Amino acid sequence: MKKTIMLITVIVLLLQGCAKYEPVIDTKGKSKFENSNAEEISDDLLHCKHLAEENSTMGGNIVYWLLSPMAQNQYAVIYKKCMEGRNHQVLN
C-alpha cells in the first residue's frame, strides 16, 4: 500500500511538471490582424496566465490531456485562447 501511494505521488508530480506552458507569439507579423499588439504583450501574458491558472485544475488537466486528440492540457488551451482573444498570433 505504501509503495502504491509513493508511486502515485511521483507520477502526479511528474505530470504536474509537464503542465507548464509558455506560448510562442509572433510579435512582428500582422497577417491576421489590422493592428500590432506587441506593446501590450507583457500585460496580456500575465493576465492570460492568471486566468488559465484560476480556471484549470490538476485533475482537469490530466483528464483533458487524456481525451484531447492533440494531447494538450486544459491550462495550455485556456492560455492560448485567451492570447488569441486579445489579438495575438500564437504559434504553438
Side-chain angles (χ1 to χ4, degrees), residues 61 64-66 68-77 80 92:
N61 279 327
Y64 196 91
W65 178 75
L66 290 172
S68 173
M70 294 179 61
Q72 294 177 323
N73 60 23
Q74 187 179 28
Y75 174 83
V77 171
K80 185 176 180 179
N92 79 340

Side-chain angles (χ1 to χ4, degrees), residues 32-33 37 40 44 48 77-90:
K32 196 173 172 185
F33 310 108
N37 292 325
E40 300 171 6
D44 291 344
C48 289
V77 171
I78 293 171
Y79 203 147
K80 185 176 180 179
K81 282 184 182 179
C82 178
M83 291 302 291
E84 288 174 345
R86 293 170 181 269
N87 294 335
H88 293 288
Q89 203 165 4
V90 181

Side-chain angles (χ1 to χ4, degrees), residues 33-57:
F33 310 108
E34 291 180 18
N35 298 326
S36 174
N37 292 325
E39 65 274 356
E40 300 171 6
I41 197 162
S42 296
D43 291 337
D44 291 344
L45 283 169
L46 289 173
H47 191 258
C48 289
K49 181 178 180 180
H50 178 72
L51 282 175
E53 288 171 353
E54 291 288 317
N55 293 297
S56 63
T57 61

Side-chain angles (χ1 to χ4, degrees), residues 15-33:
L15 286 174
Q16 187 177 8
C18 296
K20 183 175 173 146
Y21 172 74
E22 292 292 326
V24 177
I25 302 186
D26 181 11
T27 58
K28 192 75 168 169
K30 294 190 275 184
S31 62
K32 196 173 172 185
F33 310 108

